[in-house]
Amino acid sequence: IHIAGNDVLTQSLAVRRCIGYLAEGVPLYREHRVSEMLTFQGRLFGMNRADIRRRSGEVLERVGLSDRARSLVGKLSKGMRQRVGIAVALLHEPDVLILDEPTSALDPQTTSEVLALLRRVNEELGLTVVLITHEMEVVRSLAHRVAVIEAGRVVEIGDTYDVFADPQHPATQRFVSTLVEKGPPPR
């Protein structure tokens, strides 16, 4: 596997610099302030203080939390914590953003807000967003391409419209059947 020309096995540090990652459940330090979370992440990537401060302001504005830099992470709503996690993942200007179940346990309104944010990140930054989810409505509304994985193997891959319109593998058929009344995403 190569990411931005870097071999995952032999160039792990270079690969990590190319990837912004948000794990399921947003593993943030709830007793820290948002600005402290961003500073910690910046230091992990060897950023200097000026760059951390500049990028923190940029990413907090991008995720709609520029007024929350001094807030304790644990005092924020789940949706706000999710956006803080996205800001942390974007801080070091990655080439790829990988999100594991970014809308799990969010209410429908917050889910829509997070998906709209991810659409903007993809479009405005030209950033590849890899989304891992079991929520077919999320895939339907956001993804251009989809890969269905079962038991650790890719069983179907393709344009989201094509995969949803004519699922070939039984696993894909099961997933897509949850959206029967809605059909494939618009072209």
Side-chain angles (χ1 to χ4, degrees):
I1 298 172
H2 288 81
I3 297 178
N6 299 297
D7 184 300
V8 171
L9 295 177
T10 61
Q11 298 170 301
S12 62
L13 181 58
V15 169
R16 280 194 327 190
R17 288 193 170 127
C18 297
I19 296 172
Y21 177 67
L22 176 61
E24 183 175 3
V26 194
L28 300 173
Y29 299 104
R30 299 171 64 89
E31 68 279 0
H32 287 88
R33 299 191 185 285
V34 171
S35 59
E36 293 170 332
M37 290 298 307
L38 291 162
T39 298
F40 177 74
Q41 179 74 1
R43 288 184 177 158
L44 285 177
F45 283 93
M47 296 172 67
N48 65 45
R49 287 181 193 210
D51 286 341
I52 293 171
R53 199 172 8 260
R54 177 186 56 79
R55 283 293 298 156
S56 293
E58 291 170 9
V59 295
L60 288 176
E61 177 146 348
R62 178 160 305 282
V63 301
L65 294 175
S66 54
D67 61 335
R68 299 295 184 157
R70 300 295 305 148
S71 297
L72 289 173
V73 172
K75 299 286 185 184
L76 299 175
S77 70
K78 170 94 167 127
M80 286 183 179
R81 287 194 308 270
Q82 198 71 352
R83 289 188 281 155
V84 169
I86 293 168
V88 167
L90 291 173
L91 185 72
H92 65 283
E93 301 181 82
D95 299 312
V96 177
L97 182 61
I98 300 175
L99 306 157
D100 187 7
E101 299 285 359
T103 59
S104 67
L106 296 179
D107 63 80
Q109 176 64 38
T110 306
T111 294
S112 293
E113 292 168 4
V114 168
L115 293 177
L117 169 61
L118 295 176
R119 251 184 238 98
R120 284 194 317 273
V121 164
N122 174 251
E123 292 167 2
E124 294 172 7
L125 300 178
L127 191 64
T128 298
V129 177
V130 177
L131 186 72
I132 302 160
T133 186
H134 291 88
E135 299 175 52
M136 291 302 99
E137 183 55 41
V138 169
V139 175
R140 182 184 179 279
S141 69
L142 188 65
H144 301 269
R145 293 188 49 80
V146 62
V148 179
I149 300 172
E150 183 177 59
R153 300 187 72 210
V154 175
V155 295
E156 191 162 350
I157 191 166
D159 176 82
T160 304
Y161 181 89
D162 295 336
V163 170
F164 275 52
D166 187 22
Q168 300 297 304
H169 191 274
T172 310
Q173 293 166 357
R174 283 192 311 274
F175 281 129
V176 172
S177 72
T178 65
L179 296 172
V180 166
E181 70 283 352
K182 294 188 178 184
R187 280 208 185 252

